[in-house]
Amino acid sequence: DATDVLRPAYLIEHLLAVRAAMLSGVRVLAYVFWTLTDNWEWADGYCPKFGLVAMNRTAQGLTRTKRDSYHLFTAIATGGDLRDGGGGGAARGP
């Protein structure tokens, strides 16, 4: 998803599933998003764009650009609230 259209919904859906599991009594120790940067896939090379951070492999120094989904994940991770994207003072938790 090089345009970052699908990733935000994907991220929120998975975090909601993690929260549902926690509310059901599952002990969740961590959540790790796959992957921070675009990476090499054996079957597809560099074509799939999975990362929260885009990597320009043609630029000198491999320029990295934070996608909107990176900022969404950061807001949720630091704000702890899925309802408003992580900030804004809404109550934390379920």
Side-chain angles (χ1 to χ4, degrees):
D1 181 20
T3 59
D4 208 33
V5 171
L6 303 173
R7 193 174 297 101
Y10 172 92
L11 176 61
I12 289 173
E13 287 176 20
H14 284 82
L15 290 172
L16 287 171
V18 169
R19 180 166 61 184
M22 293 170 69
L23 292 173
S24 296
V26 175
R27 185 172 174 230
V28 176
L29 300 178
Y31 174 85
V32 179
F33 183 83
W34 180 266
T35 175
L36 177 62
T37 62
D38 295 336
N39 62 346
W40 171 264
E41 292 292 318
W42 286 103
D44 300 310
Y46 290 116
C47 188
K49 304 299 182 194
F50 299 125
L52 295 172
V53 177
M55 183 174 289
N56 184 344
R57 299 192 182 283
T58 60
Q60 185 176 11
L62 300 174
T63 305
R64 293 158 181 88
T65 305
K66 297 172 185 172
R67 292 187 168 109
D68 288 343
S69 55
Y70 172 94
H71 298 290
L72 172 64
F73 187 54
T74 299
I76 293 169
T78 58
D81 191 354
L82 288 170
R83 290 173 287 187
D84 67 351
R92 292 182 179 203

